């Protein structure tokens, strides 16, 4: 079965030349993770925390890989120090794919604060971000963002909210 939302994110990552991905699982990302794990050309390393994933990706970047991280937005809060002291200081580009929880249709109250703060945190960190509304737009924006992160030598984020994941149902 093809999960349209996840497939177009996967296809965008692949078409962008991203070959090394790490991240922390989220229910919304399960189909994307399955695509990544089945791809022989992309190395996917699961992590227990987002800071660990950023560390893994730093090593991959220094080894010449084009990287991305996948996480839910609560992980952004866990990652502030890695982004500020490592990625900002050493100008490390990576694509940040975020399952933007805590907004529409959220069933878990604990997700709501980070859902409301995610864009503000990205703004404070100076991380450009995009919010694709549908799979076709996601594919195009991922390709654009992957080029943009390399020009900036800094991360670029993509936020996928609850409405986006409806394409996987």
């Amino acid at each position: 079965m093809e999960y349209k939302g996840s497939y177009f994110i996967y296809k965008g990552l692949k078409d962008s030349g991203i070959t090394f991905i790490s991240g922390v699982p989220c229910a919304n990302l399960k189909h994307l993770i399955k695509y990544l794990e089945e791809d022989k050309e992309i190395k996917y390393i699961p992590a227990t925390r987002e800071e660990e994933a950023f560390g893994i990706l730093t090593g991959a970047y220094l080894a010449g890989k084009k990287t991305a991280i996948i996480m839910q937005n609560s992980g952004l809060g866990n990652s502030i120090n890695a982004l500020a002291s490592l990625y900002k200081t050493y100008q490390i580009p990576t694509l940040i794919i975020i399952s933007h929880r805590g907004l529409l249709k959220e069933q878990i109250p604990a997700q709501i604060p980070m859902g409301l703060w995610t864009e503000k945190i990205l703004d404070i960190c100076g991380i450009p971000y995009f919010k694709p509304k549908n799979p076709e737009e996601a594919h195009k924006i991922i390709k654009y963002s992957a080029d943009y992160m390399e020009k900036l030598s800094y991360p670029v984020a993509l936020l996928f909210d609850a409405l986006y994941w409806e394409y996987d149902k």
Side-chain angles (χ1 to χ4, degrees):
M1 177 175 200
E2 182 180 293
Y3 297 96
K4 190 173 183 183
S6 292
Y7 180 76
F8 275 81
I9 295 172
Y10 159 73
K11 189 80 170 109
L13 292 166
K14 189 158 180 75
D15 291 349
S16 298
I18 291 174
T19 58
F20 201 100
I21 300 171
S22 186
V24 178
C26 166
N28 290 341
L29 298 170
K30 65 185 174 189
H31 301 301
L32 174 59
I33 290 170
K34 184 169 173 36
Y35 286 123
L36 296 174
E37 289 175 334
E38 292 174 353
D39 190 305
K40 304 246 187 284
E41 296 172 357
I42 293 176
K43 182 71 173 172
Y44 170 69
I45 305 287
T48 56
R49 289 186 54 92
E50 292 76 13
E51 312 96 286
E52 175 187 13
F54 276 114
I56 292 166
L57 294 172
T58 298
Y61 169 73
L62 293 173
K65 303 293 184 189
K66 193 171 181 179
T67 66
I69 184 170
I70 59 173
M71 66 171 86
Q72 72 177 39
N73 54 327
S74 61
L76 182 63
N78 296 339
S79 305
I80 297 301
N81 190 50
L83 287 165
S85 64
L86 184 60
Y87 277 68
K88 178 77 171 168
T89 302
Y90 296 100
Q91 299 178 319
I92 300 171
T94 197
L95 199 60
I96 305 173
I97 303 292
I98 299 174
S99 168
H100 193 184
R101 308 279 308 260
L103 298 174
L104 298 172
K105 298 186 178 185
E106 184 58 60
Q107 301 298 312
I108 303 170
Q111 298 284 0
I112 294 171
M114 277 304 296
L116 298 173
W117 299 342
T118 297
E119 292 179 51
K120 293 173 187 169
I121 292 170
L122 290 168
D123 287 336
I124 288 168
C125 293
I127 297 173
Y129 60 91
F130 301 95
K131 301 186 296 186
K133 299 298 180 208
N134 60 60
E136 293 79 10
E137 183 181 34
H139 182 260
K140 290 176 190 171
I141 290 176
I142 289 170
K143 289 174 66 175
Y144 171 80
S145 298
D147 290 338
Y148 190 35
M149 74 181 193
E150 290 187 316
K151 287 179 183 163
L152 289 176
S153 292
Y154 197 57
V156 173
L158 292 107
L159 304 176
F160 296 94
D161 67 20
L163 293 177
Y164 182 86
W165 298 108
E166 293 293 321
Y167 291 101
D168 276 355
K169 294 183 178 166

